[in-house]
Amino acid sequence: MAVLEKVRDRETVAQTAEAAGDSIAFAIVGSGGAGALTAGAILLEAAGKAGWYGLMTRSVGPQIRGGEAAALISLANRPVDCPAEEYDFLVAIDWRNVDRFAKEMPLAENALAIGDPAAGEVPAIIVNTGATLAQTELKELAGAIPGGRENMIAAGIAAGLAGLPIEIVMAVIASKLESKGQGAIDASRRCLEVGMQQARAYGKSYQLRAPSTNGNGRWLITGNEAVGLGAVRGGVRFAAAYPITPATEVLEWLSPSLRKIGGALLQAEDELASINMAIGASFGGRASITATSGPGLSLMVEALGLAIASEVPIVVVDVMRGGPSTGIPTKSEQSDLNIAVYGCHGDAPHIVVAPLSVRDCLFSAQWAVYLAEAMQTAAIILSDQSIGQARALIDSPIDNGFIAERKTVKSVSEEGYNRYAFTDDNISPMAVPGLPGGQYTADGLTHSIRGLPSTKGEDHQKQLDKRRDKVEKFDYGEHWAAIEHNVRDKSPPEFNLLTWGSLAGPAREAMRLLSNEGISVKLIAMRLIAPLRKQELLTELGETARTLIVEQTHSGQFHQYLRAKCDLPGEIRHFHRPGPQPIGPKEICDQIRDWKSS
Amino acid sequence: MNVQQQPAFKAGDYKSDITPIWCPGCGDFHVLLSATKALAELGTPPEKIAVISGIGCSSRIPAYTNCYGFHGVHGRSLALGAGLKVARPDLTVMVMSGDGDGFSIGGNHFLHACRRNIDMTYIVMDNRVYGMTKGQPSPTTEPDWDSALSPGGTGLSPFHPLVIALASGANFVARSFSGNIKATTQTIVEAVRHPGFSFVEILSPCVTFRPDESSWKTQTHSASVEATDDPARAARRIMTDDGFNVGILYRGKRKPYDIHVEDTFKDPAILGEEFAV
Ligand SMILES: Cc1ncc(C[n+]2csc(CCOP(=O)(O)OP(=O)(O)O)c2C)c(N)n1
Ligand code: SF4
């Protein structure tokens, strides 16, 4: 039986269910291997089947097994762009190491924390939150069910509190346990039922309002998978891989997926090899990709310059983590902006695209492939751990239609072929090996139009001009940024909120919260980081006198980059800090409120 | 059955019109000649061949051929070649570079290229010196070779490329001397024909920084035994090698790496299905 305790001076637990809300957030925690992440994944999928949207982030420690693991889940009636800043309830399978990530799941007022008395005392860090504590013998209850598991009891409790229908949760479990047989499925059902019964006994409920849509067409996908899928939709048929947290899943998704459609992934011995393999494959005419994180990108920088100088298109995904050096592999940061933009030696214009959300990983990756191929240059996709490893329920994305289309030569005349010829659009048609008469040598040395090494000032100048112009003068359309307002009328908003990449999610949520307070905000979330669309940016910043720049770096890399490139109008404030704690909407709101009242 | 056809190509068809920047007498001229002769004998059209290199005097070679070429960055030629071959299995891929490129900065790629056994040919023009940067010791340089960078010599035992190739799983291992054009041509022909990863070390003197290597002409001697397909025998033989034994040491039977990009593709739309809830 559940035992309710009154903690500190908080009122006794309300016996009636709170009104159904628009969103809820909860966490399931346990040491690695306890199944917290599995339970979370099942509930998220069930929520999607039921018609809700949601997001699950995982918090894991450095240990491979036996470390802490938490599934942090937000469910809502609209797409969820960022992790919650407050959690309504927490189910702990055990409390081991919970203090390491308690900070990532601050409990809301009126929150409920459920733990197993057999797992020992509730840690002070939880007690001190003021949450209502409930004791449930997860282990004992699971033990009483043949084949029962604590994490499934926990799933039942969470499903009960959140109002997820058991039949839908069971449908997810049944499909996952198909191979394990009916016994395992039945045991899970028993566990769920027991967990749900427990949930009722707490006398609390965080029921979500019924979904406004059915789950038809809903997708469940991580940012890393979405990058992979976007890339393949864009035309990638070759990938080279060296594993690194938190980018590995991009590669692990690509490997079997490429094989299914006739492509291939080659495992490399290191990142020096993986990027060169991708360049070699692209030289052969196949759109190619590799994925890594900061340490790997550092190793790839020389070859990025090669791709740019030899004009062989290539896409490099950097799923950013805390840096420098090995940094914090499992946590997010935006601090690879400098290396992505400025990393290459020499003058090496290229593309840097930053996905704005889990869902946008698909669009951005597909677009990046298209851009790299169209301009025959390197494109870096700056994703990060916060979206790469987050799993989201999204509306099924339609193909954005960006398909790699490389300008190639189809036949060569008697006069011969100049690989690096000057053209109106600054893009030199490429001969793909196999084409008779098209033979040339791709070269990272400064070269003549024919591709022969040259130290002539004129060749150097003109090839540098060409590589700059093709990238600068390209038509990026409106995709360089997502622009949103929280007011309908056309008057200039009180504040611009200028950010980039994954911080678009928290910034959008901040904008929504501020609109409740009548503060008008325009969000400018930049997707195309390089080349900077200066004119478009200045136009969007417009007449607004106050612009808040938000980024997750210690030194303010984004702000410095913008300042170096353009005179930002009006008054500028800058909010930045490093990981590992994600920057949340409330922090952003506080910045704006402070500014407004100052 | 085996009617001998008139060769469709001549060595000149594989040579470009560009004058090499090499010093007169550089061994690499002979490697270029042997390679073009070998390609003519193989008869693959030049546009179906890619010559991939890194950086160094030797790595200048792609532009001197009439094949598709890639002059990459220092040490990564094998990675470029591997990616290309997996993406384009229809092409003949020849990676050609120097001992500094292949064994020093690119040493790790050498091990893994041997292990991986992709069907391609790796020719290292070994002059036991960094020629392009003007005379520093390379991994194959003798320990007592004096230079400005390592006065009195490095004191390090030289890297033994054939031993490493064999131990790492290369499927074809040979050594040749650039001055012996006939033998070098034949060795390259066999290396390209042999399935999997073929490694050929060509002793190719640097007349400028290693004038002493002019003695290689007389020092090199052909192996008195036939090539073997038994790695243990090849290993025993190579351990007693004085570094100047030339010929084919090993013809292995390992299955080449067989993952590659196809010619035609299925619609990637099918890949989205797994995400529908
Ligand atoms: C990353 C990097 N480091 C150093 C160099 C300078 N470098 C150019 S060629 C070379 C050595 C070449 O030696 P080898 O491969 O033996 O070729 P050789 O010139 O003797 O034919 C070096 C060190 C470079 N180009 N790139
Ligand atoms: S320096 Fe040596 S290796 Fe380089 S071209 Fe001259 S002779 Fe050949």
Side-chain angles (χ1 to χ4, degrees), chain A residues 49 218-221 225 229 232 237-238 253 257 259-262 264 266-270 272-273 276-277 279-281 283-284 286 302 310 431-436 438-445 450 452-453, chain B residues 17-18 46-48 52 60 62-63 66-74 76 79-80 82-84 86-88 91 108-109 112 116 118 257 259-268 270-272 274-277:
Chain A
K49 271 199 198 301
R218 192 87 11 115
W219 276 26
L220 183 58
I221 193 166
E225 291 163 341
L229 180 61
V232 176
R237 295 295 177 266
F238 176 88
W253 185 84
S257 303
R259 213 176 286 193
K260 274 180 211 152
I261 60 157
L266 182 54
Q267 186 178 340
E269 52 274 28
D270 55 32
L272 302 165
N276 279 284
M277 286 169 170
I279 294 171
F283 169 74
R286 302 297 187 205
E302 186 195 20
S310 64
V432 173
L435 178 75
Q439 294 98 299
Y440 74 100
T441 293
D443 209 321
L445 281 171
R450 193 176 155 193
L452 299 179
Chain B
D17 55 358
I18 295 148
E47 71 270 13
K48 297 289 281 179
I52 311 293
R60 289 278 187 150
N66 186 34
C67 304
Y68 279 90
F70 205 137
H71 187 204
V73 290
H74 193 26
R76 318 293 163 216
L80 281 177
L84 177 59
V86 169
R88 289 290 306 276
L91 300 175
N108 191 36
H109 308 309
H112 294 281
R116 206 175 273 123
I118 293 176
Y257 189 85
I259 295 171
H260 58 81
V261 177
E262 307 288 344
D263 284 344
T264 54
F265 304 104
K266 292 206 187 90
D267 184 351
I270 55 166
L271 299 176
E274 67 181 276
F275 300 113
V277 294

Side-chain angles (χ1 to χ4, degrees), chain B residues 52-221:
Chain B
I52 311 293
S53 71
I55 296 292
C57 297
S58 39
S59 289
R60 289 278 187 150
I61 205 164
Y64 306 149
T65 74
N66 186 34
C67 304
Y68 279 90
F70 205 137
H71 187 204
V73 290
H74 193 26
R76 318 293 163 216
S77 50
L78 282 171
L80 281 177
L84 177 59
K85 182 67 187 181
V86 169
R88 289 290 306 276
D90 58 311
L91 300 175
T92 295
V93 175
M94 311 234 308
V95 177
M96 302 183 75
S97 75
D99 44 306
D101 194 82
F103 306 145
S104 192
I105 191 167
N108 191 36
H109 308 309
F110 179 45
L111 303 184
H112 294 281
C114 293
R115 279 182 63 217
R116 206 175 273 123
N117 202 28
I118 293 176
D119 186 18
M120 60 198 234
T121 301
Y122 184 34
I123 294 170
V124 172
M125 290 161 258
D126 190 355
N127 56 12
R128 302 190 180 169
V129 73
Y130 290 177
M132 177 133 277
T133 46
K134 302 198 176 355
Q136 298 79 30
S138 88
T140 49
T141 303
E142 301 77 352
D144 57 352
W145 186 73
D146 189 49
S147 67
L149 194 62
S150 295
T154 60
L156 303 176
S157 43
F159 184 92
H160 205 320
L162 274 67
V163 173
I164 307 283
L166 191 65
S168 309
N171 215 26
F172 178 98
V173 181
R175 186 191 287 127
S176 193
F177 169 58
S178 64
N180 190 340
I181 290 160
K182 203 167 160 210
T184 303
T185 302
Q186 274 322 301
T187 305
I188 296 175
V189 167
E190 290 210 34
V192 174
R193 280 200 183 128
H194 196 81
F197 186 77
S198 299
F199 171 62
V200 185
E201 179 193 36
I202 303 183
L203 297 173
S204 178
C206 171
V207 294
T208 301
F209 297 107
R210 296 295 309 262
D212 53 309
E213 289 173 352
S214 61
S215 65
W216 282 3
K217 198 171 160 81
T218 50
Q219 265 177 297
T220 48
H221 49 86

Side-chain angles (χ1 to χ4, degrees), chain A residues 179-225:
Chain A
S179 61
K180 300 245 167 96
Q182 195 55 40
I185 296 173
D186 291 344
S188 295
R189 173 180 285 274
R190 278 299 301 139
C191 288
L192 282 183
E193 285 167 353
V194 168
M196 287 182 148
Q197 202 180 339
Q198 292 292 318
R200 279 192 289 277
Y202 304 138
K204 278 200 168 227
S205 161
Y206 302 90
Q207 305 258 336
L208 264 177
R209 202 193 310 278
S212 43
T213 59
N214 63 22
N216 278 352
R218 192 87 11 115
W219 276 26
L220 183 58
I221 193 166
T222 67
N224 281 344
E225 291 163 341

